[in-house]
Amino acid sequence: MFFCFSSLRHFGEDVKTLRNTRATVMNLYLRNMTWLNQYLSSYKGFSREVWVIALITLINRAGTMVIPFLSLYLTNDQGFSLDEVGWVMTFFGIGSVAGSWLGGKLTDILGAYKVMAASLLGSAVLFVVLQYLDGIHAIRFGIFFLMAVADMFRPAMFVALRAYSKPENRTRSVTLIRLAINLGFSAGPAVGGLIIAGVGYGGLFWVDGLTCLIAGAILLKMLSPRKSNVIDETKAELPLSPYSDKLYLVFLLAMALFGVVFLQFFSTVPVFYNQVAGLSEYEIGILMAINGLFIFVFEMPLIKYLEKPGKSKMWLIIMGTLLVAISYFLLNVSTLYSVLIISILFLTLGEMVAFPFSNAFAMDRAKRGKQGAYMALYSIAFSVSHIFAHNAGFHAIDNYGYETAWYGTVALAIICMSLLMFVISMERKQDSNSLLSEEK
């Protein structure tokens, strides 16, 4: 009898434990589902046109195989010296600046759709032609014209993105494009290496041209003005030139400095990893992969969290710049692999905050005047950074050593933050002047 009651009691306890376990599992499941829904919700709310632009960007960047292998093509296949390759890369940068300026100019005259189409289809032809150019002078000018046509796309794309985005998710729209670019650049070089191994460098030019052609065809088919729904048609009655917008010019100077700081990650930092930290190519690749993976997984929900009414874009850009500065400072603290990982995470977080919100600030500012010209100058700021960042970084290391170079990079970031704080004070002054003029 006692045994029966004891068994029943234990059975009841087991049932109770089972219920508690089921409740715990259910709570964990619901929490995970809530987190997953919140994560997926960061990708909702975009118009069809924004997704189309992201798809076009992904295809176009996935096909960008010539650019990562350009220096190898010029040295190994064409037999150019490093000095000659340096000049070709200079023409590459100058062409990018010219293309950004021209793209903005034409966007204000012809509209974003026509400029994007002309850029993609023109690039398709020029990528194929470039492989048949012979001699240093022909290739210099070929690269110049290719980049001039290819980079017309950027300011036009930003203007289109602004038109097809809701004001409340404009920064996330920029982030979606950034994700497409990162995914494309991740896939492109990997496939490019296989193409070189299989059919040689010539295959890269054909694939690059083909992907530009495919992206252009999708643009013509799915983004025609007759089929697209423009959400934001805000245009200034008396459009201002960005060259007369002093606040915007100071902002661009700050962004050019930020570009010089950030771009060391792609040139001098890998060399530091190898020469000073003693890392192998594989270990360096892992560090670089952390950057890309972190951006892919966390950038969109982070921007959704930060993109709220009342939050200052300028202060967020300053915060992002500060995180990047800390990243470079840590390189002088220790070369332990764990410290280098922490440094990468600081840089990645800074990049994830600074780039989308600086882009969104430029897009918001562009509604004051000629939108194509405004976005062209934003693109040019980073093109100028590309021209000077790499040479300046290696020159500083060669003459003063890594430690001084990293402290100099941090100093540039501090100057950048100071300029952005000056922009905030200029904004406040403009707002107070506007209020005074309205009261009068």
Side-chain angles (χ1 to χ4, degrees):
M1 191 76 172
F2 173 77
F3 176 77
C4 289
F5 281 119
S6 177
S7 298
L8 286 172
R9 188 181 66 189
H10 285 301
F11 178 74
E13 289 176 355
D14 290 341
V15 170
K16 187 177 180 181
T17 303
L18 182 61
R19 285 175 179 171
N20 290 336
T21 304
R22 286 179 59 189
T24 303
V25 171
M26 184 59 69
N27 286 333
L28 287 172
Y29 172 76
L30 291 173
R31 283 180 190 174
N32 288 333
M33 287 303 295
T34 301
W35 182 88
L36 181 62
N37 289 332
Q38 288 176 345
Y39 181 83
L40 293 176
S41 70
S42 64
Y43 287 88
K44 294 178 180 178
F46 300 116
S47 65
R48 181 189 72 90
E49 290 78 10
V50 169
W51 282 108
V52 171
I53 294 173
L55 175 63
I56 291 167
T57 304
L58 175 62
I59 294 170
N60 190 29
R61 293 305 179 186
T64 304
M65 300 173 190
V66 170
I67 304 306
F69 293 100
L70 184 59
S71 57
L72 289 175
Y73 166 73
L74 294 173
T75 52
N76 296 346
D77 196 75
Q78 297 295 304
F80 290 161
S81 68
L82 292 178
D83 182 63
E84 288 173 324
V85 172
W87 276 107
V88 171
M89 298 311 289
T90 299
F91 274 76
F92 176 98
I94 296 170
S96 177
V97 171
S100 297
W101 177 83
L102 183 61
K105 198 80 173 173
L106 292 175
T107 298
D108 287 327
I109 298 170
L110 303 174
Y113 172 76
K114 291 179 181 178
V115 175
M116 287 192 293
S119 173
L120 290 172
L121 298 177
S123 298
V125 175
L126 289 173
F127 267 117
V128 174
V129 169
L130 186 62
Q131 66 182 308
Y132 298 110
L133 299 181
D134 190 31
I136 184 66
H137 297 297
I139 290 178
R140 280 179 190 171
F141 288 104
I143 284 290
F144 171 83
F145 284 115
L146 170 62
M147 291 311 301
V149 172
D151 275 7
M152 289 195 309
F153 181 83
R154 285 195 292 172
M157 182 267 290
F158 286 136
V159 171
L161 198 62
R162 185 184 184 282
Y164 296 131
S165 300
K166 299 173 185 176
E168 62 268 21
N169 66 13
R170 192 166 290 147
T171 310
R172 280 196 295 129
S173 296
V174 173
T175 303
L176 186 67
I177 300 302
R178 270 176 47 80
L179 290 179
I181 291 171
N182 279 321
L183 277 177
F185 270 131
S186 297
V191 177
L194 293 175
I195 292 172
I196 293 171
V199 298
Y201 283 100
L204 295 182
F205 295 92
W206 284 103
V207 173
D208 243 342
L210 181 62
T211 52
C212 285
L213 187 64
I214 292 170
I218 292 172
L219 176 78
L220 294 173
K221 178 71 176 176
M222 302 183 68
L223 214 61
S224 169
R226 288 173 296 189
K227 298 179 181 178
S228 301
N229 179 32
V230 176
I231 294 173
D232 190 346
E233 294 185 283
T234 305
K235 289 185 180 179
E237 293 182 8
L238 297 171
L240 300 173
S241 167
Y243 301 99
S244 63
D245 190 344
K246 293 179 181 178
L247 184 152
Y248 191 64
L249 294 177
V250 175
F251 164 73
L252 291 177
L253 176 59
M255 287 299 97
L257 289 177
F258 179 78
V260 172
V261 170
F262 176 75
L263 287 171
Q264 301 308 313
F265 176 63
F266 295 102
S267 53
T268 56
V269 170
V271 179
F272 169 82
Y273 287 157
N274 181 254
Q275 293 184 352
V276 179
L279 301 186
S280 66
E281 285 81 358
Y282 174 75
E283 289 170 320
I284 294 170
I286 293 294
L287 283 175
M288 296 291 188
I290 289 172
N291 172 263
L293 181 64
F294 213 76
I295 288 171
F296 178 71
V297 175
F298 295 111
E299 182 166 333
M300 188 64 80
L302 176 65
I303 296 303
K304 186 180 188 323
Y305 173 76
L306 294 175
E307 189 185 39
K308 293 177 181 177
K311 285 200 174 184
S312 168
K313 290 184 176 68
M314 201 54 58
W315 279 114
L316 288 169
I317 300 167
I318 291 171
M319 183 181 75
T321 307
L322 176 62
L323 291 171
V324 172
I326 293 171
S327 167
Y328 286 102
F329 178 79
L330 287 173
L331 295 180
N332 279 340
V333 173
S334 173
T335 55
L336 288 173
Y337 201 68
S338 57
V339 175
L340 297 180
I341 290 174
I342 294 169
S343 171
I344 279 281
L345 291 176
F346 269 105
L347 182 134
T348 304
L349 281 170
E351 172 192 358
M352 286 162 60
V353 175
F355 277 120
F357 283 103
S358 68
N359 210 318
F361 177 84
M363 290 165 72
D364 288 343
R365 196 77 185 174
K367 66 185 180 184
R368 299 165 58 89
K370 298 176 180 178
Q371 295 183 26
Y374 265 86
M375 298 315 300
L377 282 184
Y378 179 79
S379 298
I380 286 171
F382 289 102
S383 296
V384 170
S385 298
H386 271 282
I387 293 174
F388 295 106
H390 311 299
N391 282 336
F394 282 118
H395 180 78
I397 290 165
D398 193 43
N399 287 276
Y400 308 107
Y402 282 105
E403 184 176 358
T404 303
W406 299 147
Y407 284 134
T409 305
V410 172
L412 278 180
I414 292 170
I415 295 171
C416 172
M417 288 187 284
S418 301
L419 287 171
L420 292 172
M421 288 178 183
F422 182 58
V423 169
I424 290 174
S425 67
M426 292 176 75
E427 265 190 311
R428 287 172 179 167
K429 189 175 180 181
Q430 284 186 0
D431 291 342
S432 62
N433 289 339
S434 298
L435 286 171
L436 287 173
S437 62
E438 286 177 7
E439 288 174 2
K440 292 178 180 179

